[in-house]
Coordinates of all heavy atoms in Angstrom, one line a residue:
E253 N 23.8 -11.8 -10.0 CA 24.1 -13.1 -10.5 C 22.9 -13.5 -11.4 O 21.7 -13.2 -11.0 CB 24.2 -14.1 -9.4 CG 25.4 -13.8 -8.5 CD 26.8 -14.1 -9.2 OE1 26.7 -14.8 -10.3 OE2 27.8 -13.6 -8.8
K254 N 23.2 -14.3 -12.5 CA 22.1 -14.5 -13.4 C 21.1 -15.7 -12.8 O 20.1 -15.8 -13.3 CB 22.7 -14.9 -14.7 CG 23.4 -13.8 -15.5 CD 22.4 -12.5 -15.7 CE 23.3 -11.4 -16.3 NZ 22.3 -10.3 -16.6
T255 N 21.8 -16.6 -12.2 CA 21.0 -17.9 -11.8 C 20.1 -17.6 -10.6 O 20.5 -17.0 -9.7 CB 22.0 -19.0 -11.4 OG1 22.9 -19.2 -12.6 CG2 21.3 -20.2 -11.1
V256 N 18.9 -17.9 -10.8 CA 17.9 -17.6 -9.7 C 17.3 -19.0 -9.4 O 16.7 -19.6 -10.2 CB 16.7 -16.6 -10.0 CG1 15.9 -16.3 -8.9 CG2 17.5 -15.3 -10.5
T257 N 17.2 -19.3 -8.1 CA 16.5 -20.6 -7.7 C 15.1 -20.4 -7.9 O 14.6 -19.4 -7.5 CB 16.9 -20.8 -6.2 OG1 18.3 -20.9 -6.0 CG2 16.2 -22.3 -5.8
N374 N 17.3 -10.7 -6.5 CA 17.9 -9.9 -7.7 C 17.2 -8.4 -7.6 O 16.3 -8.2 -6.9 CB 17.5 -10.5 -8.8 CG 18.4 -11.7 -9.4 OD1 19.5 -11.7 -8.8 ND2 17.9 -12.6 -10.2
K556 N 23.2 -12.3 -3.0 CA 23.6 -13.7 -3.1 C 25.0 -14.0 -2.9 O 25.8 -13.1 -3.3 CB 23.1 -14.3 -4.3 CG 21.5 -14.5 -4.4 CD 21.0 -15.2 -5.7 CE 21.4 -14.5 -7.0 NZ 20.8 -15.1 -8.2
Y563 N 24.3 -21.2 -4.4 CA 23.9 -19.8 -4.0 C 23.1 -19.8 -2.8 O 22.2 -20.6 -2.6 CB 23.1 -19.2 -5.1 CG 23.9 -18.7 -6.5 CD1 23.8 -19.6 -7.5 CD2 24.9 -17.8 -6.3 CE1 24.4 -19.2 -8.7 CE2 25.5 -17.4 -7.5 CZ 25.4 -18.2 -8.6 OH 26.2 -17.8 -9.7

Side-chain angles (χ1 to χ4, degrees):
E253 296 293 343
K254 297 298 183 182
T255 303
V256 182
T257 303
N374 280 340
K556 287 187 292 187
Y563 287 107

